[in-house]
């Protein structure tokens, strides 16, 4: 195959531009929102469990089970045993702004009703964790929150249950923060 020098230089420039575009430091194009998506189970090593009733609650990374496949093949599995049990994880936010918080959750016959708090303030309403079989939800919108750049505490708090069981379990597969970007109005 014969390739002239000009064609080879053009290919090199296109490849170099492609590499630069693919390796930009996670910054979205101007006007597009930043998105922070975290596999919740990746946060288990730094998670803090609090059980005011000293119930023995714990958290672990649970592999696929019960006919459910989680993204990353694992979920954050919180094994609460009393109302008030909670698990807190830390998420890094890349910039000051207003962020839409969402999560992919799991439901089951021994799963609790829970709420999320971020830095101690409740975001969204109560999530009802009971279903007769284990299920993975789609990405569910939780709420909007104003956050500064840096670390933030995301807490999953047990607030009740709808079934007769002595367990207050909860599962979180993924959490996502999407920056709300103001759009320019055309004149």
């Amino acid at each position: 195959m014969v390739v002239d020098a000009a064609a080879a230089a053009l290919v090199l420039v296109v490849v170099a531009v492609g590499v630069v575009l693919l390796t930009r430091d996670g910054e979205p194009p101007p006007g597009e929102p930043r998105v922070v998506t975290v596999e919740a189970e990746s946060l288990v090593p730094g998670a803090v469990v609090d059980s005011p009733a000293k119930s023995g609650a714990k958290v672990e990374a649970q592999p696929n089970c019960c006919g459910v496949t989680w993204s990353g093949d694992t979920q954050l599995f919180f094994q609460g045993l009393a109302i008030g049990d909670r698990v807190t994880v830390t998420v890094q936010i890349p910039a000051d702004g207003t962020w839409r918080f969402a999560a992919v959750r799991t439901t089951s016959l021994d799963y609790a009703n829970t709420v999320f708090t971020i830095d101690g303030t409740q975001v969204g309403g109560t999530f009802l964790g009971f279903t007769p079989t284990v299920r993975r939800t789609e990405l569910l919108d939780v709420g909007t929150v104003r956050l500064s750049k840096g670390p933030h505490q995301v807490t999953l708090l047990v607030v009740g249950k709808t079934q007769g069981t002595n367990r207050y379990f909860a599962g979180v597969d993924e959490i996502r923060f999407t920056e709300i970007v103001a759009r320019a109005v055309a004149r």
Side-chain angles (χ1 to χ4, degrees):
M1 176 162 90
V2 178
V3 177
D4 67 27
L10 179 60
V11 169
L12 183 58
V13 168
V14 169
V15 169
V17 169
V19 170
V20 168
L21 290 176
L22 291 175
T23 58
R24 279 181 73 195
D25 191 25
E27 285 296 315
E32 292 297 316
R34 292 176 180 91
V35 178
V36 177
T37 302
V38 181
E39 289 290 330
E41 68 275 6
S42 72
L43 302 172
V44 167
V48 175
V49 174
D50 180 35
S51 178
K54 310 285 187 240
S55 72
K58 62 183 181 176
V59 67
E60 64 183 38
Q62 178 186 34
N64 296 332
C65 87
C66 318
V68 173
T69 301
W70 291 289
S71 63
D73 294 322
T74 317
Q75 76 162 342
L76 178 150
F77 180 39
F78 180 57
Q79 298 163 47
L81 297 170
I83 292 173
D85 285 353
R86 68 194 79 207
V87 59
T88 301
V89 297
T90 302
V91 176
Q92 292 289 329
I93 298 298
D96 294 354
T98 301
W99 295 82
R100 203 81 194 136
F101 176 56
V104 176
R105 302 290 307 270
T106 304
T107 61
S108 186
L109 61 99
D110 52 3
Y111 276 38
N113 300 338
T114 56
V115 296
F116 277 111
T117 67
I118 298 177
D119 299 332
T121 300
Q122 183 174 330
V123 178
T126 302
F127 175 80
L128 305 179
F130 173 79
T131 52
T133 59
V134 180
R135 295 185 186 158
R136 177 183 179 269
T137 71
E138 296 298 320
L139 189 66
L140 303 173
D141 185 51
V142 177
T144 302
V145 61
R146 178 101 181 124
L147 297 172
S148 59
K149 178 180 179 177
H152 293 275
Q153 306 302 304
V154 178
T155 301
L156 180 68
L157 170 65
V158 173
V159 296
K161 61 182 176 179
T162 57
Q163 69 283 13
T165 177
N166 63 348
R167 294 175 284 209
Y168 292 84
F169 292 175
V172 182
D173 185 22
E174 180 181 284
I175 58 177
R176 180 174 297 165
F177 288 88
T178 304
E179 183 181 31
I180 296 176
V181 177
R183 302 273 183 205
V185 177
R187 290 184 183 220

